[in-house]
Amino acid sequence: MTTTWPYLNVHQSRTHEPTPYEYKLAATLEEVFTKDGHELADVIRGLNARQVHAPDGAPWTEDSFRAEMHRLGA
Amino acid sequence: MTADHIYATGLRNQWHPVVPSSFVAPGAMRKVTALGEQWLLFRRSDGTLSMLADRCPHRGAPLSLGKHLGDRVACWYHGVEVEGDGTVSSVPGLPGCNLEGKKLVRSLPVREVGGAILAYFGDEQHPEPAELTLPEPLTEPGTDAILCYAEWEVPWRYAVENLLDPMHGAFLHHDSHTMYDGDTTAKFRIRETDRGYFFEKTDQRGVNFDWVELCHTGIDWVDLSIPYPPSAGPGGPFGIVGMVCPVDEQRCGVFFWRYRRVEGWQRDTWRFLYKTLIEERHWEVLEQDRVMLEAMPADADQRENLYQHDLGVVRLRRMYRAAAAEQASA
């Protein structure tokens, strides 16, 4: 933790530098939200259509997406 | 204290934010400046936080150079030990010394809210903390808030005035992820509330930074709302609860809680996107404010030609001037 003035820190909410997987998932989510919609079903369909899969390689389901967002966003 | 000094270093007899909670780890101390004075934040290992004047009651040495003794701090100069409430517990060089047992160090009431340390800065006539009503977006269930803190080389009031000036959004922040849209002309009005006032556009809502509410609820804060682009996902606009710590006459600490009414997967997804991509974009917007405000000349508010869009700022200055004069004469 810095004690020098001024404190100017771009990233205050992160616990780690996002992994390549996290960056790709985030960028794809933004694209899906922009082009496909904001409902959970839109998101699952949009991610799977773009072949951006869960870390285990499986297509997303609503349950697996909720669990992964909880892990990454909590 | 003179009215000018109060105006320059922050109003007394109310709460102010100081630094983020994370700046003082369990079992640690941190020296801070607030309202033009030196303070020591001191946290026990169980998390209990104290805020003491950074001045040993013996010879005036800074306690922040001393040692953390768990539930006390010991001055480095002569070892005088001070408890979290400001009581001298021991004078090791002269046991039984009449300083022992006396509350000789000023200690401020503190609270921690939304990841920030708030303290009550009363004057001698008002040592008991003012009633504090916290901003709803920081306490309401179903609203998620993420703090951003930054230190600016700017008088505290300029940072508050910037928030009472929504029209700068359409110009200063035109090249940003959230404030590119909306009309560049507007009419504004002031709408009084029982805790402050709104300064708002009369002819546009929900497009850019179209309104701001100033609230005095034992602490001064602003509330405002800015639409997100569709890429930010469900949850609608994000809001900002803003507070400013007057550090000294030339510097301030700004506290911006970005908040959104989201729950469940929508909350988690916003937080994930925020950490990964959005926080950096928000930061770029805030840097535009910092660069502009830090570049303002020292006499900026002495040689102005104001127009209708500045009514919110004028109202703010009048209010703070009057409060400073009242506190100085009390």
Side-chain angles (χ1 to χ4, degrees):
Chain A
M1 189 191 313
T2 175
T3 55
T4 55
W5 175 280
Y7 178 83
L8 292 171
N9 181 7
V10 183
H11 291 294
Q12 303 181 24
S13 65
R14 283 181 183 174
T15 52
H16 63 279
E17 168 72 19
T19 64
Y21 154 73
E22 287 164 7
Y23 273 125
K24 185 175 180 192
L25 179 59
T28 311
L29 273 169
E30 289 199 325
E31 186 185 310
V32 169
F33 284 140
T34 303
K35 295 187 177 161
D36 299 18
H38 284 174
E39 298 298 324
L40 187 53
D42 301 329
V43 177
I44 304 306
R45 198 170 45 246
L47 289 176
N48 287 333
R50 287 169 179 78
Q51 305 283 310
V52 175
H53 291 146
D56 63 358
W60 293 102
T61 64
E62 293 197 359
D63 283 347
S64 69
F65 181 75
R66 280 179 197 275
E68 183 65 345
M69 283 302 111
H70 190 65
R71 184 178 80 83
L72 296 172
Chain B
M1 273 187 287
T2 65
D4 283 347
H5 180 74
I6 294 168
Y7 193 59
T9 58
L11 293 181
R12 271 59 180 181
N13 305 333
Q14 65 175 58
W15 295 76
H16 291 278
V18 183
V19 287
S21 289
S22 62
F23 278 27
V24 195
M29 316 197 288
R30 188 183 179 105
K31 176 189 177 70
V32 295
T33 307
L35 279 71
E37 297 177 84
Q38 307 299 314
W39 304 95
L40 173 67
L41 287 164
F42 165 78
R43 197 190 289 280
R44 292 195 208 178
S45 56
D46 68 0
T48 310
L49 182 73
S50 301
M51 186 162 173
L52 296 172
D54 189 19
R55 190 181 168 93
C56 179
H58 169 217
R59 294 275 310 284
L63 291 171
S64 56
L65 289 178
K67 287 197 185 73
H68 191 299
L69 297 181
D71 60 346
R72 291 155 293 144
V73 54
C75 180
W76 188 20
Y77 205 6
H78 301 93
V80 172
E81 296 178 11
V82 180
E83 295 178 19
D85 70 351
T87 303
V88 175
S89 54
S90 166
V91 178
L94 183 64
C97 168
N98 67 2
L99 298 186
E100 290 179 354
K102 287 190 180 139
K103 194 169 177 300
L104 296 174
V105 181
R106 196 166 164 216
S107 156
L108 299 190
V110 288
R111 287 189 56 178
E112 294 186 74
V113 175
I117 295 168
L118 311 183
Y120 172 74
F121 294 78
D123 61 21
E124 283 175 15
Q125 289 84 44
H126 304 86
E128 289 304 310
E131 189 182 334
L132 174 64
T133 305
L134 296 170
E136 300 88 6
L138 303 186
T139 57
E140 271 174 0
T143 300
D144 196 44
I146 308 172
L147 174 62
C148 173
Y149 169 73
E151 293 172 340
W152 290 355
E153 302 279 341
V154 167
W156 69 276
R157 200 168 39 74
Y158 286 18
V160 186
E161 288 179 0
N162 184 58
L163 289 163
L164 267 295
D165 169 19
M167 203 59 196
H168 83 269
F171 294 91
L172 182 64
H173 304 309
H174 185 263
D175 295 323
S176 76
H177 68 126
T178 49
M179 286 193 259
Y180 50 82
D181 209 359
D183 216 329
T184 51
T185 63
K187 286 204 168 70
F188 281 90
R189 69 173 172 188
I190 285 175
R191 180 158 53 91
E192 303 288 337
T193 68
D194 57 9
R195 62 182 187 180
Y197 64 96
F198 278 89
F199 187 58
E200 59 196 353
K201 291 179 191 167
T202 58
D203 39 12
Q204 177 178 292
R205 194 89 174 178
V207 182
N208 198 310
F209 171 14
D210 296 326
W211 59 270
V212 56
E213 182 186 6
L214 178 86
C215 308
H216 304 288
T217 58
I219 191 164
D220 282 4
W221 53 285
V222 300
D223 187 21
L224 57 93
S225 170
I226 296 173
Y228 260 138
S231 59
F238 75 99
I240 294 177
V241 166
M243 296 184 191
V244 179
C245 174
V247 170
D248 57 25
E249 296 196 5
Q250 303 302 327
R251 304 181 296 167
C252 65
V254 292
F255 294 72
F256 293 109
W257 285 267
R258 284 92 181 224
Y259 72 86
R260 211 172 180 204
R261 300 191 198 289
V262 276
E263 293 181 275
W265 75 271
Q266 299 187 347
R267 169 190 178 275
D268 296 338
T269 304
W270 177 52
R271 292 183 75 92
F272 168 57
L273 289 179
Y274 184 97
K275 288 194 251 191
T276 312
L277 300 173
I278 299 174
E279 184 173 43
E280 190 165 344
R281 296 178 201 147
H282 279 317
W283 182 258
E284 287 165 9
V285 179
L286 206 58
E287 281 289 276
Q288 293 166 346
D289 290 302
R290 183 178 68 83
V291 166
M292 179 55 68
L293 294 174
E294 290 189 348
M296 299 281 280
D299 67 346
D301 64 354
Q302 307 300 308
R303 296 169 59 187
E304 296 169 314
N305 293 284
L306 304 178
Y307 54 90
Q308 201 254 353
H309 292 178
D310 306 308
L311 288 175
V313 169
V314 171
R315 172 95 168 62
L316 187 79
R317 289 180 186 167
R318 194 179 303 143
M319 190 178 77
Y320 284 143
R321 273 268 178 225
E326 190 184 326
Q327 291 186 0
S329 65

